[in-house]
Amino acid sequence: MGTLEAKLAKEQRILSGREKGSANWKEQRIRVARVHEQIANARAVVLHKTTTMIVKNHDIIGIEDLRIGNLLKNANRSRAISEVSWRMFRTMLEYKADWYGKQVVVIAKNVASSQLCSSCGHTNKAVESLSVREWNGPACGSFHDSALNASINLKNEAIRRLTVGTTGVA
Ligand SMILES: [Zn+2]
């Protein structure tokens, strides 16, 4: 993907050096579009491989229900792309889980899950933002990597939901 990004930057530089609307510019614009296409395809390949691997190797897949805003309202292109990737990722997980007879449990996003100590269940209000990467549970002293701790909470919640029967399976 890195080389494709470099290729895109190069083709875009060439495009910006050409007279807008000219035949050369139109030709170059198609080149740029082709690289965008290649990047999108490469992303899709990665998403397919990743989701197939996850679904084949796990019976229960817990995912966070990220609130994704309206893409059209989103001016930031790279953010919009990552949101599209996330949607594709989730869609693939869901239909592949269906194929393989696995379960996807969607957990509503809430800040509490990142504040919750996965070791003892204590809520650490000091963990307020995603910028906190690591913390020590004040109640039990456990060391946490924020992302890993939140993932463990997500997993526990997914299992709990399945156990009580409210699956939330899509
Ligand atoms: Zn704790």
Side-chain angles (χ1 to χ4, degrees), residues 91-159:
T91 302
M92 287 176 184
L93 267 187
E94 289 175 341
Y95 71 70
K96 288 179 186 182
D98 228 35
W99 290 349
Y100 290 91
K102 306 299 179 73
Q103 278 182 294
V104 174
V105 184
V106 181
I107 309 295
K109 178 167 176 56
N110 59 2
V111 184
S113 73
S114 54
Q115 293 180 338
L116 191 69
C117 172
S118 61
S119 305
C120 73
H122 175 261
T123 298
N124 182 7
K125 292 241 193 307
V127 183
E128 280 173 358
S129 73
L130 293 169
S131 59
V132 179
R133 294 271 169 93
E134 295 171 342
W135 52 283
N136 280 300
C140 70
S142 296
F143 171 78
H144 293 302
D145 170 281
S146 292
L148 184 60
N149 180 61
S151 306
I152 293 167
N153 288 332
L154 190 70
K155 182 186 85 171
N156 291 339
E157 179 62 15
I159 292 167

Side-chain angles (χ1 to χ4, degrees), residues 55-104:
V55 169
K56 278 187 169 174
N57 293 299
H58 304 277
D59 293 333
I60 300 164
I61 301 133
I63 61 169
E64 198 171 26
D65 187 16
L66 296 174
R67 287 272 152 245
I68 304 286
N70 187 339
L71 288 175
L72 297 174
K73 282 184 200 156
N74 200 323
N76 184 325
R77 185 178 285 193
S78 67
R79 199 181 138 84
I81 289 168
S82 77
E83 290 183 355
V84 168
S85 291
W86 169 253
R87 285 184 183 187
M88 284 177 69
F89 177 77
R90 180 169 163 178
T91 302
M92 287 176 184
L93 267 187
E94 289 175 341
Y95 71 70
K96 288 179 186 182
D98 228 35
W99 290 349
Y100 290 91
K102 306 299 179 73
Q103 278 182 294
V104 174

